[in-house]
Amino acid sequence: MGNLNLKVIYRFLGVTAILNGFFMFIAFPFSFFSDEDAAWGILNAAVITTFIGLLLFFLNKPKNTNIQKKEGYLIVTLGWLILSITGMLPYLLSGAIPHVSDAFFETISGYSTTGSSILTDIEAMPKGILFWRSATHWIGGMGIIVLTIAILPLLGIGGMQLFLAEAPGPSADKLHPRITDTAKRLYLIYVVLTFAQFFLLKVAGMTWFDAINHAMATVSTGGFSTKNNSVAFYNNLPFIQYIIIFFMLVAGTNFVLTYFALKGKIQKVFQSEEFKYYLLGIIGVSSIIVIIIYFFQDPNLQTTIAHPKVYGEAESAIRHALFMVTSVVTTTGFVTADFTMWSFFATGIFFALFFTGGSAGSTSGGVKVVRHIVMLKNSFLEFKKALHPNAIIPVRYDGKSVSQNIVFNILSFFIIYMLIFIVSSVILTFLGLDFYSALGAAASSLGNIGPALGSVSPVNSFAHLSAGAKWFCSFLMLIGRLELFTVLILFTPFFWRKN
């Protein structure tokens, strides 16, 4: 570690903890004014977290403020660990979630915007805790790292290396030549979308508390709800569900395209190859699911609010199919129905969607649509090269040729992703899950999706998992959120060698 600028790393982790503490202070009034015992636990957590952050910040004044790639990877990974370790303090100190393994799972699920939960009675939780739970989504959605880039000039630290390590997707699109201005624009869009959805949900019939929580969870593609039945609680208020569908679609779209759309450059949105595949894919798969649940689903299966009766009801079938497909593709994880009750064929389709992901540059997790496009195009070119071995035919994306380095990076990512999924499924069976549930939990945790299969299906929680399985799923959520390489590179011997 001799060639690492440790003071820069510690100072940045201090800023991360301070910002985390700030959001905890915001959560405090929700419990205080509701006269909840949890209020003082949240306040203590905020004070402790802020104090840790201030110590790290003021005790480390680096002479050299340059951040190289090594520091960038370390700051991002350690930043998420600092977030998760301090972020579980409100749960522990308030007594809402007394066990460390449960509290850490819930916290990392929040920051990674996975949305898997160990809570069995969400509505019994204090309001301050529910707000904090949703806030972890909102912080993690765009990444508190990107937020901090916007204030790095105040610290005299350049942030390009961090953006490259944190930016969700295979490439870091820049809206503006200066990376700090890019971060500010991204967060402005993020805030505007959050408040717009909050307002619409309030008008549509949600309470203001539920509206702000669901808005934070949607724009971050997180999926934590304030209701035990998730968005199925609002099955009698279809307009609420359509609002959430729209904002899930937007949140799963590259934020650069959203920026262009807000600037009135709609043609740039529809010129994007990834966006066309993303939108048409959701519409196409939803259409198949509509046919399944409208014509072929057993009408006797769907009888409760968590399993709405959609058989033979056109609008209901369209809404639930579109909602659940969008929720899984964008890795949001909200639930209006249990898709595992829509026949084995429908379950198989949803399991395949676990490996899709939203757009690069969005808050979605998963493999990402652009990677699938490049992999498929490269595969078809291999057939052409088999017939014309001397031909030099590049992969083209958005009308431009893609360099071989990027193609190899994407192929490597997918191979590693699938290997981790396979090995993780086996490990989870060793840790006590049945095979069907292990497949679902591994795919869901790695893809930051939330609902899974078997004993961790959309209407079940992760509470019954062993402590070992919870810690392992927490690790999968972290590496999935940070796109594998950012975390896994830290486990390679050459990362720690001196240059």
Side-chain angles (χ1 to χ4, degrees):
M1 294 180 69
N3 61 334
L4 289 170
N5 193 341
L6 292 177
K7 287 196 173 182
V8 164
I9 295 171
Y10 293 145
R11 194 170 173 85
F12 191 91
L13 295 180
V15 175
T16 305
I18 291 167
L19 288 169
N20 214 24
F22 171 74
F23 279 97
M24 289 180 197
F25 279 117
I26 296 175
F28 167 69
F30 286 93
S31 271
F32 182 76
F33 290 111
S34 298
D35 197 26
E36 295 170 342
D37 293 337
W40 304 111
I42 295 170
L43 182 62
N44 290 336
V47 171
I48 292 167
T49 301
T50 307
F51 179 70
I52 291 169
L54 290 170
L55 275 181
L56 285 169
F57 182 78
F58 285 111
L59 293 180
N60 295 283
K61 294 184 179 178
K63 293 176 183 176
N64 177 14
T65 57
N66 289 329
I67 297 176
Q68 302 303 319
K69 278 194 174 180
K70 281 191 175 183
E71 283 90 359
Y73 286 119
L74 264 177
I75 286 169
V76 171
T77 304
L78 293 178
W80 281 78
L81 287 175
I82 282 283
L83 282 174
S84 301
I85 291 166
T86 56
M88 65 178 176
L89 292 178
Y91 297 129
L92 293 171
L93 298 182
S94 68
I97 304 178
H99 302 294
V100 173
S101 57
D102 287 345
F104 189 82
F105 181 95
E106 197 76 12
T107 309
I108 198 91
S109 180
Y111 287 119
S112 64
T113 71
T114 303
S116 302
S117 181
I118 53 84
L119 298 178
T120 52
D121 189 358
I122 296 164
E123 292 167 37
M125 288 287 115
K127 279 192 173 181
I129 291 297
L130 289 179
F131 179 85
W132 171 243
R133 189 167 167 262
S134 300
T136 59
H137 271 345
W138 201 81
I139 297 166
M142 184 61 68
I144 200 169
I145 312 301
V146 176
L147 171 63
T148 312
I149 287 169
I151 63 167
L152 277 176
L154 302 176
L155 314 178
I157 298 173
M160 186 61 200
Q161 298 298 342
L162 295 184
F163 188 72
L164 288 171
E166 161 60 16
S171 63
D173 289 302
K174 292 170 69 178
L175 311 182
H176 194 275
R178 292 182 61 193
I179 196 67
T180 52
D181 289 325
T182 296
K184 287 172 186 173
R185 281 168 169 76
L186 290 174
Y187 253 96
L188 182 60
I189 294 167
Y190 198 58
V191 171
V192 167
L193 289 175
T194 305
F195 277 99
Q197 189 185 358
F198 162 69
F199 175 75
L200 289 172
L201 289 175
K202 181 71 181 74
V203 169
M206 273 194 184
T207 66
W208 69 270
F209 180 75
D210 289 338
I212 190 62
N213 279 276
H214 283 86
M216 287 195 291
T218 307
V219 176
S220 64
T221 64
F224 278 156
S225 174
T226 53
K227 304 298 180 185
N228 289 333
N229 287 327
S230 188
V231 185
F233 181 85
Y234 300 100
N235 278 342
N236 294 324
L237 293 168
F239 190 48
I240 284 176
Q241 295 181 347
Y242 283 119
I243 291 169
I244 293 175
I245 289 170
F246 173 76
F247 280 93
M248 284 194 295
L249 280 168
V250 173
T253 302
N254 189 325
F255 267 56
V256 176
L257 296 182
T258 307
Y259 174 79
F260 288 137
L262 292 172
K263 294 278 283 184
K265 300 176 181 177
I266 303 295
Q267 76 279 6
K268 284 207 171 191
V269 177
F270 289 98
Q271 283 169 0
S272 167
E273 205 171 332
E274 182 182 37
F275 180 75
K276 286 186 278 192
Y277 278 103
Y278 165 71
L279 190 60
L280 292 173
I282 287 175
I283 293 170
V285 175
S286 297
S287 301
I288 295 169
I289 299 296
V290 168
I291 293 168
I292 293 171
I293 61 180
Y294 187 78
F295 293 107
F296 301 107
Q297 174 209 356
D298 182 350
N300 296 316
L301 288 176
Q302 313 292 311
T303 53
T304 70
I305 192 167
H307 310 137
K309 192 169 184 177
V310 296
Y311 179 83
E313 300 172 14
E315 185 278 330
S316 183
I318 292 168
R319 172 162 40 94
H320 289 297
L322 186 59
F323 190 102
M324 290 307 299
V325 169
T326 306
S327 181
V328 171
V329 169
T330 62
T331 73
T332 306
F334 278 139
V335 173
T336 61
D338 184 354
F339 59 74
T340 63
M341 301 290 279
W342 288 344
S343 81
F344 289 120
F345 181 43
T347 304
I349 292 173
F350 277 100
F351 183 65
L353 293 179
F354 283 8
F355 299 92
T356 307
S359 304
S362 72
T363 56
S364 295
V367 176
K368 304 288 194 305
V369 175
V370 64
R371 287 195 178 100
H372 287 290
I373 294 170
V374 172
M375 282 191 297
L376 287 171
K377 287 192 172 187
N378 186 66
S379 299
F380 282 120
L381 282 183
E382 290 301 320
F383 291 130
K384 279 190 180 180
K385 288 175 184 175
L387 293 173
H388 308 286
N390 296 323
I392 300 173
I393 316 168
V395 175
R396 299 189 74 79
Y397 173 74
D398 273 349
K400 300 171 187 173
S401 61
V402 180
S403 74
Q404 281 288 72
N405 283 343
I406 292 176
V407 174
F408 290 150
N409 178 281
I410 287 172
L411 292 174
S412 300
F413 176 91
F414 189 72
I415 291 166
I416 293 170
Y417 191 97
M418 294 309 294
L419 278 173
I420 292 172
F421 161 66
I422 293 165
V423 172
S424 299
S425 300
V426 175
I427 290 172
L428 285 172
T429 58
F430 174 75
L431 293 172
L433 273 74
D434 64 89
F435 183 63
Y436 189 53
S437 302
L439 287 175
S444 175
S445 299
L446 191 58
N448 305 133
I449 292 155
L453 307 175
S455 64
V456 285
S457 73
V459 291
N460 295 315
S461 78
F462 283 65
H464 63 281
L465 268 63
S466 66
K470 287 170 187 168
W471 285 108
F472 185 70
C473 285
S474 298
F475 173 70
L476 291 180
M477 287 187 260
L478 177 66
I479 64 172
R481 176 62 183 87
L482 297 181
E483 304 253 318
L484 307 187
F485 294 158
T486 307
V487 179
L488 297 181
I489 197 171
L490 304 184
F491 293 92
T492 59
F494 49 80
F495 179 86
W496 301 100
R497 287 181 195 147
K498 290 185 181 180
N499 292 336

